[in-house]
Amino acid sequence: MSGYSPNSFALLVAALAFFSVLALNIAVPALVLSGMALLRWLLLPLDRRLPQGAPA
C-alpha cells in the first residue's frame, strides 16, 4: 500500500465497513421474513386439516 496515504486507507476502510453493514441490514431481514413465510407455508395446511370445532 505504498501509493496510498493513511487518510485514503482510512476512508477505504470506513467505506468498506459502511457498505458491508448496509448489505447486512438488507440481507438479515430478508432471511428472517423468508423464514417466517416458509414456516407459515409449512404450518398453514396443518391448520386447515383440523376439524372446525377442535381446539388449535
Side-chain angles (χ1 to χ4, degrees), residues 20-39:
S20 63
V21 169
L22 185 63
L24 286 176
N25 282 338
I26 294 168
V28 171
L31 287 173
V32 169
L33 290 174
S34 297
M36 290 170 61
L38 179 65
L39 284 174

Side-chain angles (χ1 to χ4, degrees), residues 1-11:
M1 306 251 343
S2 61
Y4 295 104
S5 68
N7 287 340
S8 176
F9 183 70
L11 182 60

